Amino acid sequence: MRPPAFLRPMLFKDRAIIRLDSVDSTNDYASNLVKHLAPTEGTVVTAQEQVGGKGQRGTMWESELNENLLCSIILFPTYLSHANYFYLTKVVALALRELVEEHTEKEVYIKWPNDIIVNNKKIAGILIETIWNDQKMQSAVVGIGLNVHQTKFENNKATSIKILNPKLGDVEECLKGLLNYLDKYLLLLQSGQYTTIARLYREHLFKLGQVSKFIYHDMELDAMITGVDEAGRLRLYTDNGESLNCGLKEIRFVF
Ligand code: BTN
């Protein structure tokens, strides 16, 4: 059972929340704040609409006006290095996964590296943009898009809270919940609880131990997911008995 809110440690007590009607991308807006205005850690930028919303691998993130949660959170995790960078991805995915579970009352998975999946459909995505100073992370803009009210999507592999649970879904509540869950998992990260984070991420990994289809260096591949390595590469066991550790640029789920 979760402790009541007043007993939970809060990471960013007096965080600023910048609310915009329309913006190109909340991630770009937040990155500009980091570059030019020295915002405090935990600052959130949220918008009703993005006209140039960015997704992973150079894609666009589409979202209807006023329907969904679009936000970016500014962090300064200077304790992270290239070796443990992927733990930031893990904790953000764990926070968003738990929020979606609370708001849909369904089983929710993390599709490597950080898509949030319910009923085999994507409900939320994460785009983390970082700035490095030598070997240490200087800042991270954690961009989150969560489908809340939207019920029609061009992509038939997308879903929303409203579709899954018509009684639930309120964008403001989702933002509040997200910030609480992020605090909870960032505290694990800050206190160096890497084994716990890795275990939780693995526990919720989509298709773990199952054979799935992938595109690997432009070729179709059937392989079983066996986990994720320290650097965040997906571990696969192929149908011809080979073990592979694959980076984001090498492999894509056929989904
Ligand atoms: C993905 O492709 O899964 C990542 C999607 C991330 C979308 C969010 S919406 C808020 C923030 N601003 C952006 O431009 N992108 C992220």
Side-chain angles (χ1 to χ4, degrees):
M1 221 175 87
R2 279 202 307 151
F6 67 90
L7 285 180
R8 266 179 267 141
M10 276 179 69
L11 214 46
F12 311 115
K13 277 196 208 80
D14 299 315
R15 66 165 88 237
I17 302 188
I18 300 170
R19 296 173 192 278
L20 306 168
D21 290 333
S22 181
V23 68
D24 49 356
S25 148
T26 56
N27 264 33
D28 288 351
Y29 190 100
S31 295
N32 275 324
L33 288 182
V34 172
K35 275 186 210 130
H36 305 294
L37 285 174
T40 53
E41 183 162 29
T43 296
V44 179
V45 179
T46 179
Q48 308 283 4
E49 172 192 55
Q50 292 185 128
V51 291
K54 300 190 296 185
Q56 294 220 355
R57 304 176 200 248
T59 57
M60 296 284 288
W61 184 258
E62 311 280 359
S63 168
E64 279 175 14
L65 176 67
N66 284 333
E67 297 284 65
N68 302 316
L69 176 62
L70 306 165
C71 68
S72 301
I73 299 125
I74 295 170
L75 300 175
F76 302 117
T78 49
Y79 48 91
L80 290 177
S81 65
H82 288 286
N84 53 15
Y85 159 67
F86 193 70
Y87 283 89
L88 178 61
T89 299
K90 285 182 180 167
V91 293
V92 175
L94 284 167
L96 188 53
R97 192 211 72 80
E98 199 167 333
L99 173 80
V100 173
E101 188 173 72
E102 182 190 324
H103 284 260
T104 58
E105 299 170 345
K106 308 254 185 253
E107 193 138 357
V108 183
Y109 295 96
I110 300 166
K111 179 161 85 60
W112 178 84
N114 55 11
D115 288 346
I116 306 300
I117 302 289
V118 195
N119 284 358
N120 271 309
K121 296 193 173 191
K122 178 164 169 174
I123 192 165
I126 299 167
L127 178 68
I128 303 180
E129 297 183 285
T130 53
I131 295 176
W132 292 80
N133 185 358
D134 251 348
Q135 291 307 306
K136 290 285 171 200
M137 193 184 292
Q138 215 182 315
S139 66
V141 168
V142 174
I144 290 172
L146 167 64
N147 299 331
V148 181
H149 285 299
Q150 191 168 330
T151 51
K152 293 204 170 68
F153 296 94
E154 276 179 23
N155 177 350
N156 68 357
K157 279 285 187 188
T159 191
S160 67
I161 292 178
K162 186 81 179 200
I163 291 173
L164 294 162
N165 197 337
K167 286 186 289 202
L168 298 178
D170 174 87
V171 177
E172 199 50 38
E173 279 298 307
C174 285
L175 176 61
K176 241 191 338 186
L178 174 68
L179 298 177
N180 278 334
Y181 284 123
L182 259 182
D183 271 14
K184 165 179 157 180
Y185 285 101
L186 282 169
L187 278 166
L188 284 185
L189 184 65
Q190 274 192 359
S191 53
Q193 297 189 50
Y194 295 108
T195 314
T196 306
I197 296 167
R199 178 180 51 76
L200 292 172
Y201 181 86
R202 185 183 164 83
E203 242 169 51
H204 298 294
L205 197 58
F206 184 60
K207 302 278 191 204
L208 179 71
Q210 296 176 35
V211 175
S212 303
K213 282 206 182 306
F214 298 90
I215 302 290
Y216 177 62
H217 292 293
D218 292 333
M219 278 170 353
E220 256 198 29
L221 173 76
D222 287 322
M224 184 172 79
I225 297 179
T226 57
V228 172
D229 73 10
E230 278 296 292
R233 285 177 305 217
L234 188 64
R235 281 204 172 114
L236 296 175
Y237 185 72
T238 69
D239 52 0
N240 51 23
E242 216 184 328
S243 292
L244 294 174
N245 285 24
C246 307
L248 199 58
K249 291 193 178 127
E250 292 172 289
I251 193 131
R252 188 161 53 80
F253 248 103
V254 178
F255 173 66

